[in-house]
């Protein structure tokens, strides 16, 4: 076939795709009406996970699953906006990694509101100013985000989904690194790039700011400064990228939580987050973990935080593989409660795929 013939064939396929998408959205509108009549959840994480899993299983290529997921992320984002206007709060300002994670989860068709602190994200969801909130909870290099853990202990909002996002840092600036008098970034970013900074820009003062967006903004305004930030921040503030992907650890990943006021149903590939306080006696932590061992339940995370209520009393946060509705999981959590002062289920939700 000639090139023009191939292009005409593509045009014909595009027409079919547009028609099919509009057919899909008409069905979505009816789904939205039914949900409102029944006061059902608009965003259903377990249904989303099921759709992505089924689509990837159907895909025979040559389109990569990463591309397929990105396309249907936007298709589903538009569907959510048609069903009901969604508002998603995130730890801002815009172009932060949390903003990027939120967009990776909900697409570009919903409304986003940046919040200055993690506390404000929690509060916006609790007050129903936002339908959902997105906050970071742990990084594969630097560990847990303690502020998020502390708020999970105090808040009644639930974890209804998670996001794993590959994190890449870049040195931005209008001058060569050797000419810089200061480099701005978030403290966790400096921690994730510590070796690169030591080897490539030794002696340049590193100044901590509230976000990578703030770092890029200062760099754009101050001659002779640099910033560690994302490609999105570089584009937003028209800053040249001097060095890309300077994080010390290949596969640097941050896990984000989606907060809401709803439960997520089981998918068969789920995670449950728990908080508990052990009794004040010898071997209490060992005893509290026995139910998970005896029922062959895997733990994917365990962290401790001071309770701030009594000296030397700690909250323990654990993520276990499985859904709270599973009989084995429920039995283990009940046994955990028998040995602890306090147990709180923070949420059961679909496990996020690893970043592609």
């Amino acid at each position: 076939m000639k090139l023009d013939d191939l292009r005409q064939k593509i045009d014909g396929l595009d027409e079919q795709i547009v028609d099919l998408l509009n057919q899909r959205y008409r069905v979505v509108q009816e789904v939205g009406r039914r949900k409102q009549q029944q006061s059902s959840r608009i965003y259903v994480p377990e249904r989303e996970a099921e759709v992505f899993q089924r689509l990837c299983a159907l895909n025979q290529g040559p389109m990569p699953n990463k591309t397929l997921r990105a396309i249907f992320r936007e298709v589903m984002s538009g569907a959510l906006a048609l069903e009901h206007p969604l508002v998603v709060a995130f730890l801002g300002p815009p172009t932060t990694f949390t903003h990027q994670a939120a967009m990776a989860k909900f697409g570009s068709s919903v409304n986003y509101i940046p919040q200055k602190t993690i506390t404000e994200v929690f509060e916006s969801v609790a007050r129903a100013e936002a339908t959902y909130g997105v906050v970071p909870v742990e990084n594969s290099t630097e560990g847990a985000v303690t502020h998020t853990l502390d708020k999970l202990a105090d808040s009644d909002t639930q974890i209804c989904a998670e996001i794993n996002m590959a994190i890449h840092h870049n040195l931005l600036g209008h001058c060569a690194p050797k000419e810089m008098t200061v480099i701005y970034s978030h403290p966790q970013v400096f921690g994730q790039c510590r070796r690169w900074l030591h080897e490539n820009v030794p002696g340049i003062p590193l100044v901590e700011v509230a976000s990578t967006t703030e770092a890029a903004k200062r760099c754009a305004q101050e001659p002779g400064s640099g910033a560690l930030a994302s490609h999105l921040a570089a584009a937003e503030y028209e800053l040249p990228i001097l060095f890309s992907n300077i994080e010390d650890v290949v596969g640097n990943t941050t896990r984000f939580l989606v907060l809401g006021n709803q439960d997520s149903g089981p998918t068969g590939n789920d995670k449950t987050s728990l908080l508990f306080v052990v009794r004040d006696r010898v071997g209490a932590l060992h005893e509290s973990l026995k139910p998970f061992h005896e029922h062959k339940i895997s733990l994917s995370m365990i962290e401790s935080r001071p309770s701030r209520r009594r000296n030397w009393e700690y909250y323990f946060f654990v993520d276990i593989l499985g859904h709270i509705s599973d009989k084995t999981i429920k039995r283990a959590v009940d046994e955990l409660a028998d040995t602890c002062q306090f147990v709180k289920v923070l949420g059961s939700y679909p496990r996020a795929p690893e970043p592609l």
Side-chain angles (χ1 to χ4, degrees), residues 214-346:
E214 175 66 20
K217 182 178 179 180
R218 290 198 185 194
C219 179
Q221 296 172 344
E222 298 179 20
S225 65
L228 303 189
S230 67
H231 282 80
L232 191 62
E236 176 71 18
Y237 292 98
E238 298 181 348
L239 288 166
I241 297 176
L242 304 177
F243 291 92
S244 298
N245 301 349
I246 64 172
E247 59 277 0
D248 293 335
V249 178
V250 176
N252 183 35
T253 301
T254 295
R255 177 177 168 232
F256 300 84
L257 300 179
V258 178
L259 309 171
N261 295 303
Q262 66 180 57
D263 296 319
S264 295
T267 67
N269 185 25
D270 303 292
K271 188 181 289 185
T272 296
S273 295
L274 304 168
L275 174 158
F276 62 88
V277 180
V278 299
R279 301 188 191 280
D280 186 12
R281 62 189 182 208
V282 175
L285 179 58
H286 177 267
E287 183 181 11
S288 67
L289 296 177
K290 281 178 63 178
F292 303 122
H293 173 71
E294 291 174 351
H295 292 287
K296 296 179 172 58
I297 296 169
S298 297
L299 276 67
S300 60
M301 184 193 81
I302 180 166
E303 292 283 345
S304 65
R305 290 290 296 153
S307 71
R308 297 183 295 177
R309 296 177 181 177
R310 291 176 55 190
N311 285 343
W312 317 121
E313 180 180 81
Y314 289 84
Y315 290 130
F316 290 91
F317 295 85
V318 296
D319 289 339
I320 60 177
L321 302 187
H323 195 277
I324 193 62
S325 64
D326 299 342
K327 290 181 179 179
T328 303
I329 300 294
K330 181 67 167 60
R331 189 177 300 117
V333 173
D334 289 343
E335 292 174 14
L336 172 68
D338 291 338
T339 67
C340 293
Q341 292 186 48
F342 175 73
V343 175
K344 179 182 179 182
V345 178
L346 302 172

Side-chain angles (χ1 to χ4, degrees), residues 66 97 100 139 165-171 189 192-193 212 228-232 243-247 249-254 355-356:
K66 180 179 180 179
F97 289 110
Q100 294 176 56
N139 174 264
M165 191 172 80
I167 302 296
H168 299 296
H169 302 303
N170 312 281
L171 178 62
V189 176
Q192 293 166 26
C193 304
T212 52
L228 303 189
S230 67
H231 282 80
L232 191 62
F243 291 92
S244 298
N245 301 349
I246 64 172
E247 59 277 0
V249 178
V250 176
N252 183 35
T253 301
T254 295
L356 296 175

